[in-house]
Amino acid sequence: MGPTRTSKIALLVISVIALVFLPCTTAVRHLKTKPIDATNTQHLELPKGCSAPRASPSTWGGEGVGWKTFAYSPSYTKNNCNATSELPDVATESSCGRPLGLRFHRESGFLYIADAYMGLMRVGPNGGQATVLATEAGGAPLLFTNGVDVDQVTGDVYFTDSSATYTRAQHQQVTISGDSTGRIMKYDPKANQVTVLQSDVTYPNGIAISADRTHLVVALTGPCKLLKHWIQGPKAGMFELFADLPGYPDNVRPDTKGGYWVALHREKYELPFGADSHLVAIRIGAQGEKVQDMRGPKDVRPTEVIEREDGKIWLGSVELPYVGIIGT
């Protein structure tokens, strides 16, 4: 076989390989959604001296009204928590409350509150003092109540207790120790009853019910994973890995496409030096696939990402003195 013929055969082989692989590469490239830049966001400044709505959930009434306290726990008034204090928040939150998860039931207008210290609470459409619904489950106290979501059809409430060993003030120990005493629970408002769905979970944090209402997606902060817990169908009561994450997740909220936005406190292997940019959130598809990144400065560490119907994305954080809004 001559050199010319050999060269032609080699060229043909290369061409065939290119035809086989290029369409796949192109398809993957088109499927990848452009990252969202959270560097420059609109800011809704929080009340002076407050880095996040803490002992009491607040509502935004517009530019002319600003922020207004919407709900508070029974202990908030009892312990005079509205008074100015020089103490750090961590010193008073066990007596005043620390709401970590909020979710409305649209039909009734009830707001369900997962408070780290007060347990699961509920307040009516007009706000005011919340009613404590649960402070224990399965005979064990709620020590670190965290995420919450509501089935908008049945009104059932799903929530997490991050640890049976550590409180929110000791949250770093939950990750460092690998504590696996967390729980996933269901509150039935008709029966006024709490059921433990899953025990021995490693740092369950945010929780969201799927669009088809067949399963829950739960953020596991320490392991950097999303867990799927089935609540309907032949797999009801079973759980499985839903997604591995590139960072430490906090709250999980549905996007507008059947998937989820997951707030990331920081990346797994993040370094304090280098470029001032890191992942602040990630969009996960309905099948657990990674769909879209959101990047921002390293001092932006959101605990919640909410996508509104108008396409705007709201970022909440326990560390920043504002709520961020991104117009996509």
Side-chain angles (χ1 to χ4, degrees):
M1 185 181 294
T4 303
R5 187 176 179 186
T6 302
S7 300
K8 288 181 178 179
I9 292 174
L11 181 60
L12 178 61
V13 171
I14 292 171
S15 300
V16 170
I17 292 173
L19 287 172
V20 170
F21 287 101
L22 276 178
C24 295
T25 305
T26 303
V28 171
R29 186 181 299 120
H30 285 309
L31 284 172
K32 185 172 177 59
T33 307
K34 181 181 178 181
I36 293 175
D37 184 3
T39 302
N40 297 309
T41 63
Q42 178 187 346
H43 292 180
L44 294 183
E45 301 293 336
L46 292 167
K48 187 177 180 180
C50 182
S51 59
R54 290 186 171 174
S56 55
S58 303
T59 56
W60 172 253
E63 295 292 342
V65 178
W67 293 99
K68 181 181 178 182
T69 297
F70 180 73
Y72 48 88
S73 70
S75 64
Y76 186 80
T77 302
K78 177 182 176 182
N79 296 322
N80 196 27
C81 296
N82 198 36
T84 303
S85 174
E86 298 299 323
L87 295 173
D89 293 308
V90 71
T92 61
E93 63 184 26
S94 63
S95 58
C96 294
R98 183 67 182 264
L100 297 178
L102 305 171
R103 205 63 169 160
F104 277 102
H105 179 231
R106 290 189 288 271
E107 183 179 349
S108 65
F110 285 136
L111 173 65
Y112 286 90
I113 306 166
D115 189 290
Y117 298 92
M118 306 300 158
L120 182 67
M121 303 191 297
R122 181 176 65 197
V123 70
N126 297 320
Q129 181 171 298
T131 300
V132 177
L133 302 173
T135 58
E136 64 89 28
L142 301 176
L143 200 62
F144 188 170
T145 320
N146 204 326
V148 65
D149 201 4
V150 179
D151 185 327
Q152 297 297 335
V153 176
T154 65
D156 290 336
V157 181
Y158 298 93
F159 64 108
T160 61
D161 184 23
S162 293
S163 174
T165 308
Y166 301 101
T167 66
R168 195 220 69 88
Q170 303 163 310
H171 66 92
Q172 291 181 337
Q173 290 299 317
V174 183
T175 299
I176 294 171
S177 68
D179 179 81
S180 296
T181 60
R183 297 178 292 174
I184 301 169
M185 290 153 294
K186 170 188 171 182
Y187 171 73
D188 181 345
K190 299 181 182 68
N192 190 31
Q193 182 177 352
V194 175
T195 304
V196 178
L197 301 179
Q198 187 175 337
S199 302
D200 304 323
V201 186
T202 305
Y203 207 156
N205 195 326
I207 187 170
I209 188 170
S210 62
D212 63 4
R213 302 174 43 251
T214 61
H215 60 272
L216 306 170
V217 173
V218 183
L220 307 183
T221 299
C224 298
K225 299 178 185 296
L226 293 180
L227 179 77
K228 177 189 284 189
H229 180 100
W230 293 93
I231 54 175
Q232 289 191 39
K235 291 186 177 181
M238 301 175 66
F239 61 92
E240 60 196 63
L241 176 67
F242 185 62
D244 280 306
L245 299 173
Y248 295 89
D250 202 303
N251 275 309
V252 183
R253 290 299 178 216
D255 64 7
T256 57
K257 303 174 182 178
Y260 309 88
W261 273 112
V262 184
L264 300 176
H265 186 69
R266 65 180 176 86
E267 295 181 36
K268 274 185 184 178
Y269 307 110
E270 184 171 315
L271 298 174
F273 50 84
D276 185 23
S277 175
H278 72 158
L279 283 171
V280 297
I282 187 169
R283 189 198 295 265
I284 300 293
Q287 304 305 316
E289 72 278 18
K290 298 172 180 65
V291 176
Q292 189 174 27
D293 292 342
M294 182 187 297
R295 302 192 66 87
K298 289 182 178 179
D299 63 350
V300 175
R301 301 178 184 274
T303 51
E304 184 133 15
V305 178
I306 295 287
E307 184 174 4
R308 303 293 297 274
E309 293 179 355
D310 60 5
K312 291 183 178 180
I313 298 175
W314 292 52
L315 306 179
S317 171
V318 298
E319 298 179 353
L320 297 175
Y322 61 83
V323 173
I325 303 176
I326 302 171
T328 56

